[in-house]
Amino acid sequence: MFLSGKRALVTGSTSGIGLAIARALAGEGAKVILNGFGDADAIAKLQEELGGAEYVNEDLTTTDGVEKLMAGAGAVDILVNNAGMQHVSPVQDFPPAKWDQIIALNLSAAFHTSRLAIPHMKQAGWGRIIATASAHSLVASPFKSAYVAAKHGIAGLTKVLALELAQDGITTNCISPGYVWTPLVENQIPDTMKSRGLTRDQVINDVLLKQQPTKQFVQPEEIAAIALFLCREEARNINGANYTVDGGWTVE
Ligand code: NAD
C-alpha cells in the first residue's frame, strides 16, 4: 500500500467524486480526513468503512471555516480540493449571494487550504495538491457564470502553485471531468429546465450528454483513479497539468 503513513484531506468527500477519491486513497493505506455535509450516521459508517477516517465538518464558504478545517485536519501530505457547488441562472438574474458562495467554495477555499497545507509539505519535502476542476475550467456554458469563472480560476491557481512548489517535492495538478452523475449534476436539472425551457429528458440528452462525444456520464471512480495515480512516485514530474476526463468534450 503505497500511501501508508500519509495523511490525505479530501474536501467535499461525503458524496460523489470526493467520496470516490477518499475511498481510493484509503484503499492504498492513506489516513483520510473527510469533510462535507451529510447525515451523521451515514458519515460515521463511512469513517468506519475507510479504516477509521477522521471527519472535520466545516463550511468552506468562509475563510474562518477553512481555517478551522485545516486546524482540525492537522498536517496533511495530500490535499484534494474537491468541494464544489453549482447554480444555473442567466447573469442578470444570478443572485449575488450565490455568486459569492460559489467563488468562495469552488475557488477561494482552495487558496486557503493550500496556503495552510504548504508549510508541512515543504518541511516533509513531499506533497500532492490536487483539485477537482471541470471541463468548465477550459470552456464555458451559458448560465453558469460563477461556476465557470471559479473553475477557470482553479486551473490558474493550479499553474501558479505548480511553479512555486516545483523544487519542494510537491506537485500540483487538476482533474477536469465532464458530466459525472452525482447529486451536483442531478440538482441542476430543474434550474436548467427553467433557464432553457426544456424537459428533464431534453436536459439530460440535449444539454448534458450533448457535450460528451461518448454520450456517457463519467463515473466518480474514473476521477479517483487519476487522483490516485498523481500520488504515486512515478508521477513526481507531472506538475501543473490539467487532466481532462470528459469523453472528448473539450477536444479542439
Ligand atoms: P456532490 O454534490 O456529490 O458533492 C459535493 C461535496 O461538497 C459534498 O460532500 C458536499 O457536502 C460538499 N460541500 C458542499 N458545500 C460545501 C461547503 N459549503 N463546505 C464544505 N463542503 C461542502 O458533487 P460532485 O459532483 O461530486 O462534485 C465534486 C467536485 O467535482 C466539485 O468541485 C464539482 O464542481 C466538480 N465537478 C463535478 C462534475 C459533475 O458532473 N458532477 C463535473 C466537473 C467537476
Side-chain angles (χ1 to χ4, degrees):
M1 298 217 279
F2 75 95
L3 293 178
S4 292
K6 299 275 196 264
R7 289 177 63 78
L9 169 63
V10 185
T11 68
S13 45
T14 52
S15 168
I17 296 168
L19 176 54
I21 294 174
R23 284 192 168 117
L25 299 178
E28 284 296 340
K31 181 78 175 173
V32 167
I33 301 125
L34 297 167
N35 155 262
F37 304 137
D39 173 72
D41 289 342
I43 292 169
K45 278 203 187 103
L46 270 181
Q47 289 180 261
E48 205 183 309
E49 177 202 321
L50 301 185
E54 295 168 28
Y55 171 58
V56 186
N57 179 16
E58 292 293 343
D59 180 345
L60 306 189
T61 57
T62 67
T63 306
D64 187 49
V66 184
E67 288 178 347
K68 284 184 176 145
L69 167 70
M70 297 310 285
V76 296
D77 307 291
I78 299 165
L79 168 65
V80 183
N81 288 308
N82 169 81
M85 60 184 292
Q86 176 63 284
H87 183 77
V88 179
S89 165
V91 170
Q92 72 272 16
D93 302 326
F94 210 95
K98 275 278 175 221
W99 169 277
D100 290 344
Q101 214 181 4
I102 290 174
I103 298 294
L105 181 64
N106 294 16
L107 177 57
S108 303
F111 158 71
H112 294 300
T113 54
S114 301
R115 71 179 169 79
L116 294 166
I118 286 168
H120 165 76
M121 291 182 183
K122 277 193 170 185
Q123 201 181 18
W126 194 93
R128 294 288 186 266
I129 301 175
I130 300 166
T132 310
S134 166
H136 284 118
S137 75
L138 297 164
V139 296
S141 296
F143 314 122
K144 296 184 176 176
S145 52
Y147 189 87
V148 171
K151 294 297 184 181
H152 275 63
I154 272 286
L157 177 64
T158 297
K159 292 181 191 178
V160 174
L161 288 171
L163 294 178
E164 286 190 18
L165 304 172
Q167 292 179 31
D168 294 300
I170 304 167
T171 68
T172 311
N173 295 285
C174 60
I175 307 173
S176 284
Y179 286 107
V180 187
W181 191 259
T182 68
L184 182 138
V185 163
E186 211 170 349
N187 294 340
Q188 67 186 269
I189 291 175
D191 282 344
T192 307
M193 288 165 64
K194 206 167 103 190
S195 294
R196 295 182 183 244
L198 298 174
T199 65
R200 182 182 163 85
D201 279 354
Q202 283 172 323
V203 170
I204 291 175
N205 294 309
D206 303 343
V207 179
L208 303 180
L209 291 181
K210 179 168 178 260
Q211 305 278 22
Q212 293 192 178
T214 50
K215 303 297 168 209
Q216 285 174 19
F217 285 101
V218 176
Q219 299 303 316
E221 292 71 24
E222 297 168 40
I223 310 306
I226 306 269
L228 189 62
F229 177 72
L230 289 171
C231 293
R232 298 193 76 96
E233 283 314 308
E234 297 92 314
R236 72 178 79 84
N237 280 301
I238 301 176
N239 191 30
N242 186 342
Y243 272 87
T244 56
V245 189
D246 62 9
W249 170 356
T250 54
V251 168
E252 287 182 38

